[in-house]
């Protein structure tokens, strides 16, 4: 961390820290403690234009979800994509198809990477349900971080609670002096910063929800309250905050794919705020992400709706209905199935499940994914391709 560039920060201060790193080597350095978030903000006109554009994009997404019989049917595969991408930002990689397939049997052994990504899905769904009637709190996020920690491939310190140890952001096995950024040390100052962040999130600010989310995300990542998973939890908070402020009624947006594609710029913009106190670049970058991902979600909704209409029309020409139609409609919710999943989900016999799957394979709606003669898994390639485009 370039201490000289942060020494005169107008939005925070350097805190002396001492200790020993993971290799047992002593250090004497500095950490950065951000000031509390402001209640109002002076931004350039072009930044306000970006805020307005992002607000409009969320409005279009809200409108696209409104006529759907069950908007949550579109959330599951999109959340799987979000889980893959947000975990990839933290160095955990898994294929979307593998994550989708893992839902078929919770008892089935999966790779550590997929298990970690599935843990994020579970945490996100708990968060989505919680903010319906609960404010976003450090306690809630600590619980969600604990869920991630349970399946982490790395040894966890202070899982499920605010960290009690120093963390650094930089090379995995590097020296603290090689760190890109050093968050505040554990203790009273970190907890006071989190208390204010939590209270700020609950206040009625005279600023658009998108701008509130941009500021809150910067503050969360700068405080870095947990020993691990701060990026994943922080990006989840963006969606939770948009839900709480009623900018969205469904968690239909995924931001991590965009941040993953622009990872270096994402990190640079966050650090730029700490160094200069200038918010315009970060807010514009954040709003660009919201615009791009909201528009992508609208396109996905349209493409999935059109795909389902086309399949329904083909089934109608063949006079196929019942289970085969029900499966098609459910493929938008989860585009990877097997015979047992169909039996359990649609409450049909094994022959009926097999017959329905065979018909959909005949139409190329489903493709067998394993190449095996038993334990077969089928995927709706078109649905997965559409979701991959988010």
């Amino acid at each position: 961390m370039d201490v000289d560039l942060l020494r005169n920060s107008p939005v925070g201060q350097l805190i002396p820290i001492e200790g020993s790193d993971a290799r047992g080597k002593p250090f004497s350095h500095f950490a950065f403690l951000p000031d509390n978030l402001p209640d109002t903000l002076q931004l350039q006109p072009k930044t306000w234009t970006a805020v307005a554009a992002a607000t409009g994009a969320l409005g279009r997404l809200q409108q696209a979800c409104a006529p759907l019989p069950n908007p949550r049917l579109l959330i599951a595969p999109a959340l799987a994509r979000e889980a893959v991408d947000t975990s990839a930002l933290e160095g955990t990689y898994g294929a979307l198809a593998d994550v989708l397939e893992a839902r078929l049997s919770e008892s089935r052994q999966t790779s550590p990477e997929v298990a970690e990504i599935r843990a994020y899905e579970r945490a996100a769904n708990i968060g989505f349900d919680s903010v319906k009637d609960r404010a976003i709190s450090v306690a809630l996020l600590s619980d969600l971080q604990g869920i991630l920690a349970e399946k982490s491939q790395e040894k966890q310190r202070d899982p499920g609670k605010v960290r009690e140890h120093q963390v650094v952001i930089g090379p995995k096995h590097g020296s603290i002096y090689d760190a890109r950024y050093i968050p505040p040390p554990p203790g009273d100052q970190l907890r006071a910063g989190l208390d204010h962040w939590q209270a700020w999130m609950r206040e009625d600010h005279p600023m658009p929800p998108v701008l509130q989310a941009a500021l809150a995300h910067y503050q969360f990542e700068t405080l870095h309250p947990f020993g691990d998973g701060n990026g994943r939890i922080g990006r989840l908070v963006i969606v939770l905050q948009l839900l709480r402020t009623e900018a969205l009624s469904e968690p239909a947006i995924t931001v991590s794919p965009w941040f993953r594609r622009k990872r270096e710029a994402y990190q640079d913009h966050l650090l730029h705020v700490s160094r200069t106190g200038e918010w315009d670049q970060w807010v514009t970058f954040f709003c660009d992400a919201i615009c791009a991902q909201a528009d992508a979600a609208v396109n996905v909704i349209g493409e999935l709706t059109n795909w389902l209409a086309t399949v329904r029309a083909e089934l109608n020409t063949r006079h196929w209905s019942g289970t085969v139609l029900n499966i098609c409609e459910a493929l938008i919710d989860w585009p990877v199935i097997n015979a047992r999943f169909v039996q359990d989900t649609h409450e049909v016999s094994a022959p009926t499940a097999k017959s329905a799957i065979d018909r959909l394979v005949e139409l190329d709606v489903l493709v067998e994914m394993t190449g095996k003669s038993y334990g077969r898994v089928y995927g709706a390639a078109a649905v997965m391709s559409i979701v991959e485009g988010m």
Side-chain angles (χ1 to χ4, degrees):
M1 184 173 77
D2 193 331
V3 173
D4 290 336
L5 290 177
L6 288 167
R7 196 178 301 280
N8 297 315
S9 170
V11 291
Q13 59 181 303
L14 292 173
I15 306 294
I17 56 173
E18 293 184 347
S20 298
D21 61 21
R23 300 171 297 178
K25 293 187 177 182
F27 64 80
S28 179
H29 203 36
F30 292 91
F32 183 76
L33 176 68
D35 294 341
N36 293 334
L37 287 172
D39 292 323
T40 59
L41 204 60
Q42 295 295 320
L43 298 173
Q44 297 175 9
K46 64 180 182 181
T47 308
W48 284 113
T49 299
V51 171
T55 301
L58 290 176
R60 290 191 296 274
L61 178 55
Q62 183 88 308
Q63 190 175 22
C65 289
L68 299 174
N70 183 6
R72 291 301 292 266
L73 292 181
L74 299 172
I75 305 308
L79 177 57
R81 171 66 196 272
E82 170 77 355
V84 169
D85 279 290
T86 198
S87 296
L89 273 164
E90 309 302 315
T92 299
Y93 295 89
L96 176 62
D98 292 339
V99 177
L100 293 169
E101 185 181 343
R103 187 195 191 198
L104 299 181
S105 175
E106 295 294 345
S107 62
R108 181 177 177 179
Q109 186 175 4
T110 59
S111 70
E113 292 80 12
V114 170
E116 192 167 338
I117 292 168
R118 289 283 285 152
Y120 173 83
E121 289 184 87
R122 180 181 167 217
N125 278 311
I126 291 173
F128 297 155
D129 290 337
S130 295
V131 296
K132 291 176 182 177
D133 49 24
R134 288 176 58 186
I136 299 170
S137 67
V138 175
L140 169 63
L141 302 185
S142 296
D143 290 343
L144 302 185
Q145 193 274 343
I147 293 171
L148 300 185
E150 289 177 3
K151 298 297 182 180
S152 175
Q153 299 177 72
E154 301 288 338
K155 185 178 180 180
Q156 296 288 298
R157 293 178 64 182
D158 305 325
K161 63 181 182 179
V162 175
R163 59 181 168 85
E164 298 176 358
H165 64 283
Q166 182 66 54
V167 296
V168 301
I169 301 173
K172 190 171 183 179
H173 299 294
S175 162
I176 193 172
Y177 301 102
D178 299 325
R180 177 185 178 89
Y181 173 72
I182 304 174
D188 293 342
Q189 290 173 310
L190 173 59
R191 289 190 174 275
L194 287 171
D195 287 344
H196 184 273
W197 175 82
Q198 177 179 268
W200 188 92
M201 295 268 283
R202 298 178 181 183
E203 292 173 2
D204 185 16
H205 296 285
M207 60 178 72
V210 170
L211 182 55
Q212 293 180 45
L215 268 62
H217 185 70
Y218 160 80
Q219 192 77 349
F220 181 89
E221 296 301 336
T222 306
L223 289 169
H224 230 66
F226 302 119
D228 188 41
N230 292 280
R232 284 169 287 175
I233 295 295
R235 288 184 289 275
L236 175 59
V237 169
I238 294 172
V239 183
L240 298 182
Q241 193 173 1
L242 293 176
L243 292 170
R244 281 295 297 174
T245 56
E246 299 183 347
L248 287 175
S249 59
E250 298 291 342
I253 191 169
T254 63
V255 295
S256 293
W258 202 86
F259 285 154
R260 180 184 178 186
R261 293 192 293 270
K262 302 177 183 292
R263 178 175 184 169
E264 187 172 345
Y266 168 60
Q267 295 173 334
D268 286 345
H269 282 301
L270 289 172
L271 193 55
H272 180 77
V273 176
S274 299
R275 289 172 172 173
T276 67
E278 298 172 0
W279 289 94
D280 291 276
Q281 291 184 24
W282 161 246
V283 170
T284 299
F285 180 84
F286 183 89
C287 289
D288 288 347
I290 295 295
C291 283
Q293 293 307 110
D295 289 344
V298 171
N299 290 335
V300 164
I301 289 172
E303 290 182 34
L304 288 175
T305 302
N306 291 338
W307 172 84
L308 184 56
T310 300
V311 172
R312 281 173 172 162
E314 181 62 28
L315 294 180
N316 189 50
T317 62
R318 298 178 181 237
H319 305 291
W320 291 350
S321 59
T323 302
V324 69
L325 176 59
N326 294 338
I327 292 173
C328 287
E329 293 176 341
L331 286 173
I332 290 181
D333 175 42
W334 209 266
V336 177
I337 63 173
N338 59 16
R340 171 54 64 182
F341 182 79
V342 171
Q343 287 178 245
D344 294 343
T345 303
H346 300 282
E347 299 180 341
V348 296
S349 66
T352 298
K354 182 180 183 305
S355 174
I357 289 173
D358 288 344
R359 287 182 171 185
L360 292 176
V361 170
E362 180 183 334
L363 292 180
D364 292 327
V365 171
L366 291 176
V367 176
E368 206 287 314
M369 297 169 58
T370 66
K372 299 186 298 185
S373 58
Y374 61 92
R376 290 182 165 187
V377 174
Y378 302 84
V383 174
M384 287 188 282
S385 178
I386 292 170
V387 174
E388 285 275 19
M390 293 187 73

